[in-house]
């Protein structure tokens, strides 16, 4: 198959891109060689590697309103509403898979091909783990899924929490998760982090921890995570998610912290739309934004990717799978709307996510790499974020997983 006359993100000029048997085979300057009649005409649109969703909870998606909506909009009412859901609704593997698959179809429409999902392992029937592990296997040629053992109610703050984590890892979950800021005490929080790193070493797994997801400037579990990652040289396989408290740290502490963050090599994830919605709820005015220091991390050369967190679940009532909306929110909230930032802002939902998931090998428009790409109805990052351009073609391992005909408006003046 040949895509003719496309821009390639980050390169000058137009190209013809050929892929065969799921792999890119040839990339030549447009017009240099004859192309087959059935080549796909890109007409100058931009090709790039697919979008990456580094942080979502697929076991909870599309449950908003059952048994009731989160009326306060706080993280804590989200957690208690989910607790009601999981203890009152029948949990059926086929139903969880269907909801998750509906969310994956939404994401596919917006160019996502790699997804890391959390799955609550303090839901003790383990139907969520079963469902998402099955889906991960069934979908692997279409959308690549990684799972995280996420202890929603804590590891040490629930009875047998460690056993639940271990059971999930035995069932094939990809990453070890955690929630230190939600453990009963600071001591439990720290002990949970040490345990998470031990477990990751035991299972040779990656780490992705909900860390300091709270507007409490005293919540400093990130320094413990980064220190563990530094000591064990596991930074490149470790993600600190949310780190909302960093938005409330004082600058003196933060400047000290950044040295460790850089040396540790850990990666970051922020979910700006979800955090803007959930955090700042207990403030009067001025209200905090409740997000981590996206721009400062980016400027320090620390990897940070943006994710959705939720699609219509007890934590966040809206969302349709469109990472461009998350990016739009993130660059506003993070003051990244300067001209220079806009030139490469798509990194935040593409390559940076791929680094968090450790899938860079499969990622890139280069001969010899798997034919994973999207085609956007726009020509560069600036235009795509300004227009929230639709993805019109999405190809994974050479298979077309989504095609779209964008709507055309007729203006009558
Ligand atoms: N659970 C949690 O602790 N935090 C979140 N943002 C979500 C679930 C979505
Ligand atoms: Fe989350």
């Amino acid at each position: 198959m040949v895509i003719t006359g496309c821009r390639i993100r980050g390169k000058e000029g137009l190209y013809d891109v050929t892929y065969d048997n799921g792999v890119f085979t040839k990339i030549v300057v447009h017009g240099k060689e004859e192309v087959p009649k059935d080549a796909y005409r890109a007409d100058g649109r931009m090709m790039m590697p697919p979008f990456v969703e580094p942080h979502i909870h697929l076991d909870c998606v599309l449950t908003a309103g059952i048994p009731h909506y989160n009326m306060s909009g706080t993280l804590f009412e989200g957690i208690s509403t989910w607790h009601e859901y999981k203890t009152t609704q029948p949990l059926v593997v086929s139903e969880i898979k269907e909801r998750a698959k509906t969310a994956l179809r939404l994401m596919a429409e917006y160019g996502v091909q790699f997804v890391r999902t959390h799955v609550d392992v303090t839901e003790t029937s383990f139907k969520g783990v079963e469902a998402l592990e099955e889906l991960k296997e069934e979908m692997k040629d279409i959308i690549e899924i990684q799972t995280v053992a996420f202890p929603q109610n804590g590891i040490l703050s629930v009875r047998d929490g460690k056993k639940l984590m271990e059971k999930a890892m035995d069932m094939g979950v990809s990453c070890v998760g955690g929630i230190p800021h939600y453990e009963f005490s600071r001591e439990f929080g720290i002990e949970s982090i040490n345990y998470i790193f031990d477990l990751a070493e035991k299972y040779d797994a990656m780490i992705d921890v909900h860390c300091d997801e709270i507007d409490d400037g005293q919540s400093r579990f990130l320094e413990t995570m980064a220190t563990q990652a530094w000591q064990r040289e596991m930074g490149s396989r470790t993600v600190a998610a949310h780190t909302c408290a960093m938005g409330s740290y004082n600058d003196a502490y933060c400047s000290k912290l950044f040295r460790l963050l850089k040396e540790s090599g850990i990666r970051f994830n922020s979910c700006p739309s979800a955090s803007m919605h959930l955090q700042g709820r207990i403030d009067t005015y001025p209200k905090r934004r409740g997000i981590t220091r996206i721009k400062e991390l980016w400027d320090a050369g620390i990897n940070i990717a943006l994710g959705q967190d939720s699609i219509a679940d007890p934590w966040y009532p809206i969302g349709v799978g469109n990472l461009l909306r998350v990016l739009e929110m993130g660059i506003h909230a993070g003051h990244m709307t300067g001209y220079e930032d806009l030139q490469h802002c798509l990194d935040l939902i593409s390559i940076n996510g791929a680094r968090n998931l450790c899938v860079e090998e499969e990622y890139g428009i280069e001969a010899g790499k798997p034919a994973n790409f999207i085609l956007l109805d726009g020509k560069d990052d600036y235009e795509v974020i300004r227009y929230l351009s639709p993805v019109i073609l999405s190809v994974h391992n050479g298979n077309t997983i989504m095609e779209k005909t964008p709507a055309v408006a007729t203006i009558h003046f």
Side-chain angles (χ1 to χ4, degrees):
M1 187 64 199
V2 179
I3 310 289
T4 182
C6 61
R7 285 171 212 278
I8 296 178
R9 181 170 182 253
K11 286 190 179 179
E12 292 292 320
L14 295 180
Y15 293 85
D16 295 337
V17 177
T18 307
Y19 55 96
D20 277 309
N21 295 320
V23 177
F24 289 119
T25 48
K26 194 161 63 162
I27 297 169
V28 294
V29 171
H30 177 57
K32 276 227 158 145
E33 292 181 15
E34 206 145 306
V35 294
K37 282 209 167 47
D38 67 348
Y40 184 106
R41 299 194 178 280
D43 294 328
R45 294 187 180 91
M46 180 168 74
M47 177 187 285
M48 66 177 286
F51 291 153
V52 177
E53 172 50 78
H55 188 115
I56 193 161
H57 298 251
L58 283 179
D59 52 342
C60 312
V61 287
L62 305 171
T63 61
I66 316 171
H68 58 78
Y69 279 92
N70 174 344
M71 301 308 278
S72 65
T74 58
L75 172 67
F76 301 114
E77 189 178 333
I79 294 174
S80 64
T81 307
W82 171 245
H83 191 79
E84 276 181 64
Y85 181 98
K86 69 192 187 190
T87 50
T88 58
Q89 306 298 310
L91 294 168
V92 181
V93 169
S94 59
E95 186 272 338
I96 301 168
K97 280 170 77 175
E98 210 35 63
R99 269 194 292 107
K101 212 164 165 177
T102 303
L104 291 171
R105 289 193 185 100
L106 288 170
M107 287 190 252
E109 178 175 343
Y110 296 102
V112 174
Q113 294 182 17
F114 294 89
V115 174
R116 180 177 281 183
T117 175
H118 295 261
V119 52
D120 182 5
V121 301
T122 57
E123 189 291 292
T124 52
S125 79
F126 271 66
K127 298 284 191 239
V129 180
E130 217 179 295
L132 295 187
E133 284 305 312
E134 282 183 21
L135 206 57
K136 175 165 107 181
E137 180 59 27
E138 288 166 22
M139 300 286 288
K140 67 177 194 294
D141 296 327
I142 302 169
I143 290 188
E144 293 185 33
I145 301 173
Q146 294 178 358
T147 46
V148 185
F150 175 53
Q152 178 65 80
N153 297 353
I155 297 175
L156 292 145
S157 312
V158 301
R159 308 270 172 229
D160 294 328
K162 290 184 177 175
K163 281 200 187 124
L164 297 172
M165 291 292 289
E166 197 134 347
K167 180 171 174 189
M169 298 315 294
D170 283 335
M171 287 170 75
V173 169
S174 329
C175 313
V176 183
I179 187 163
H181 55 277
Y182 193 65
E183 300 282 356
F184 290 146
S185 64
R186 196 187 71 84
E187 290 76 11
F188 271 16
I190 289 176
E191 195 183 329
S192 78
I193 292 173
N194 296 335
Y195 170 74
I196 287 160
F197 277 83
D198 287 344
L199 197 60
E201 281 191 332
K202 177 172 169 194
Y203 284 86
D204 193 23
M206 297 173 282
I207 292 173
D208 196 325
V209 171
H210 282 63
C211 189
D212 303 319
E213 188 187 11
I214 188 165
D215 284 325
D216 171 11
Q218 304 293 322
S219 188
R220 294 181 172 185
F221 294 105
L222 176 57
E223 64 179 23
T224 306
M225 265 193 81
T227 303
Q228 283 293 327
W230 175 81
Q231 259 186 336
R232 304 186 197 217
E233 299 185 16
M234 287 172 72
S236 64
R237 292 158 63 76
T238 300
V239 174
H242 300 305
T243 61
C244 306
M246 200 202 286
S248 294
Y249 290 163
N250 68 67
D251 290 335
Y253 172 65
C254 221
S255 66
K256 175 211 136 184
L257 176 66
F258 264 55
R259 177 171 157 258
L260 163 65
L261 298 182
K262 277 184 92 156
E263 289 213 11
S264 72
I266 66 167
R267 282 101 197 264
F268 284 79
N269 157 256
S270 173
C271 300
S273 43
S275 291
M276 294 275 282
H277 162 83
L278 292 166
Q279 304 299 322
R281 291 275 175 178
I282 306 169
D283 291 351
T284 110
Y285 287 89
K287 274 189 202 291
R288 283 170 288 180
R289 297 181 179 199
I291 55 165
T292 195
R293 300 192 181 202
I294 302 174
K295 183 172 173 56
E296 288 74 10
L297 289 164
W298 167 287
D299 287 346
I302 296 168
N303 197 65
I304 170 148
L306 306 186
Q308 298 177 87
D309 212 10
S310 298
I311 298 177
D313 70 10
W315 290 272
Y316 185 70
I318 55 177
V320 286
N322 187 353
L323 278 171
L324 281 176
R325 277 170 49 170
V326 171
L327 176 61
E328 186 185 35
M329 187 80 82
I331 61 173
H332 282 84
H335 277 168
M336 296 177 74
T337 39
Y339 179 80
E340 277 304 321
D341 293 322
L342 294 177
Q343 304 310 308
H344 44 197
C345 62
L346 293 178
D347 281 1
L348 289 162
I349 56 169
S350 57
I351 178 67
N352 291 11
R355 288 199 191 105
N356 277 17
L357 269 61
C358 303
V359 294
E360 303 104 296
E361 304 258 295
E362 300 168 60
Y363 203 78
I365 315 288
E366 281 169 47
K369 288 216 174 190
N372 298 327
F373 69 88
I374 56 177
L375 197 65
L376 283 142
D377 192 16
K379 70 175 192 315
D380 56 26
D381 285 28
Y382 192 170
E383 188 172 298
V384 166
I385 189 61
R386 184 174 159 226
Y387 286 91
L388 302 179
S389 307
V391 173
I392 60 167
L393 180 67
S394 180
V395 172
H396 192 70
N397 289 335
N399 300 312
T400 299
I401 62 167
M402 192 282 302
E403 287 173 275
K404 184 180 233 175
T405 309
V408 178
T410 308
I411 309 293
H412 291 281
F413 61 85

